[in-house]
């Protein structure tokens, strides 16, 4: 859990820092707005991006979206992404009116374009986050399945060991050993009988319910 949290915050900071750097580089190349606005916008975009996406993550967990199917999940993510983009665009518009001299409110078409572009960013973030979560969840489920299989194998092995009574097996082998020199043919018959007995015990040990008839045939 601690490692996953470190990966999450590292991805958050590095991802938004990279995106912020690319946007500021493009803005500096073709914009004549004051440098103070560019610096403040870069800081606002970086901090707001982290805060908004972390808030989205909080809602995903609190509302149980991480366990939803893809069909009902997509429209919910789309709504939250558009809302987060609208908040970011509104903050950018207010910042430009405050910093840029004689600035006018952002026209509606540009504001809608900013919301659309921002929605793509937040949708991309959501896609990466859910992909990472589902991958991590599949690894945990696979580990649990392997542990369950190992536990079942261990239980089966213990059952088989309990069925093969060591004293009975040792006594049988010692008795057969004593017959090898005196009655070789009888020793061969006993070896065959013991082999069949062990084989039937192993086969019956794999069954959950053993009929009484099979139990009687085993000891007869």
């Amino acid at each position: 859990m601690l490692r996953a949290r470190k990966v999450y915050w590292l991805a958050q900071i590095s991802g938004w820092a990279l995106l912020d750097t690319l946007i500021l580089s493009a803005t500096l190349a073709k914009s004549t707005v004051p440098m103070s606005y560019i610096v403040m916008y870069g800081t606002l975009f970086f901090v707001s991006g982290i805060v908004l996406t972390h808030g989205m993550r909080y809602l995903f967990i609190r509302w149980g979206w991480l366990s939803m199917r893809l069909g009902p999940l997509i429209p919910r993510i789309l709504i939250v992404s558009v809302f987060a983009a609208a908040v970011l665009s509104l903050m950018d518009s207010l910042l430009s009116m405050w910093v840029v001299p004689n600035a006018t409110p952002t026209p509606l078409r540009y504001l809608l374009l900013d919301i659309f572009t921002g929605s793509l960013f937040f949708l991309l973030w959501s896609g990466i986050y859910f992909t990472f979560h589902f991958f991590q969840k599949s690894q945990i489920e696979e580990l649990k399945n392997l542990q369950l299989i190992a536990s079942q194998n261990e239980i089966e092995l213990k059952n088989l060991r309990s069925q093969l009574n060591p004293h009975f097996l040792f006594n049988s082998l010692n008795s057969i050993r004593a017959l090898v020199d005196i009655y070789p043919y009888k020793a061969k018959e006993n070896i065959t009988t013991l082999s069949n007995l062990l084989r039937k015990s192993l086969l019956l040990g794999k069954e959950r319910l053993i009929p009484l008839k099979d139990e009687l045939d085993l000891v007869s």
Side-chain angles (χ1 to χ4, degrees):
M1 178 64 70
L2 184 60
R3 181 177 178 273
R5 186 173 298 177
K6 288 182 178 180
V7 172
Y8 165 76
W9 281 112
L10 179 62
Q12 277 278 76
I13 295 174
S14 59
W16 283 107
L18 177 61
L19 183 60
D20 191 27
T21 302
L22 294 176
I23 292 177
L24 289 181
S25 300
T27 304
L28 287 172
K30 62 179 181 179
S31 179
T32 57
V33 297
M35 180 60 68
S36 59
Y37 167 75
I38 295 178
V39 173
M40 294 183 67
Y41 174 77
T43 305
L44 174 69
F45 184 82
F46 175 74
V47 175
S48 299
I50 292 179
V51 172
L52 290 172
T53 51
H54 188 65
M56 290 169 61
R57 174 181 176 270
Y58 173 78
L59 295 179
F60 294 162
I61 298 174
R62 185 172 182 82
W63 291 344
W65 289 9
L66 297 179
S67 58
M68 278 188 177
R69 295 183 178 273
L70 191 60
L73 182 63
I74 291 178
R76 288 174 168 82
I77 295 178
L78 181 60
I79 293 174
V80 172
S81 299
V82 172
F83 177 78
V87 172
L88 186 60
S89 298
L90 181 61
M91 294 173 64
D92 175 35
S93 179
L94 294 176
L95 177 64
S96 62
M97 292 178 61
W98 177 46
V99 176
V100 180
N102 301 321
T104 58
T106 305
L108 181 59
R109 63 179 183 276
Y110 292 123
L111 185 62
L112 293 177
L113 181 61
D114 288 342
I115 293 176
F116 174 77
T117 305
S119 299
L120 295 180
F121 291 149
F122 289 109
L123 282 173
L124 177 62
W125 182 92
S126 300
I128 295 174
Y129 177 77
F130 275 94
T131 300
F132 175 77
H133 171 75
F134 290 145
F135 176 74
Q136 187 180 38
K137 185 178 180 180
S138 65
Q139 284 187 321
I140 294 175
E141 291 296 329
E142 183 179 358
L143 180 60
K144 288 183 179 179
N145 291 335
L146 292 176
Q147 291 176 344
L148 180 60
I149 293 174
S151 178
Q152 290 176 346
N153 292 336
E154 184 178 358
I155 293 175
E156 291 179 359
L157 181 60
K158 288 182 179 179
N159 290 335
L160 292 176
R161 287 176 178 175
S162 64
Q163 291 173 7
L164 298 177
N165 191 311
H167 296 290
F168 165 76
L169 185 60
F170 293 154
N171 293 334
S172 299
L173 292 176
N174 287 330
S175 300
I176 293 173
R177 180 178 179 277
L179 293 174
V180 169
D181 296 329
I182 303 174
Y183 302 106
Y185 179 77
K186 189 68 174 178
K188 290 182 180 179
E189 288 184 348
N190 289 342
I191 291 175
T192 302
T193 302
L194 180 61
S195 175
N196 293 332
L197 177 62
L198 295 177
R199 184 181 299 108
K200 290 182 180 179
S201 297
L202 292 175
L203 292 176
L204 293 178
K206 297 180 180 180
E207 303 293 334
R208 291 187 177 182
L209 295 177
I210 303 176
L212 179 60
K213 178 178 179 301
D214 293 341
E215 290 279 3
L216 295 175
D217 292 340
L218 182 64
V219 298
S220 61

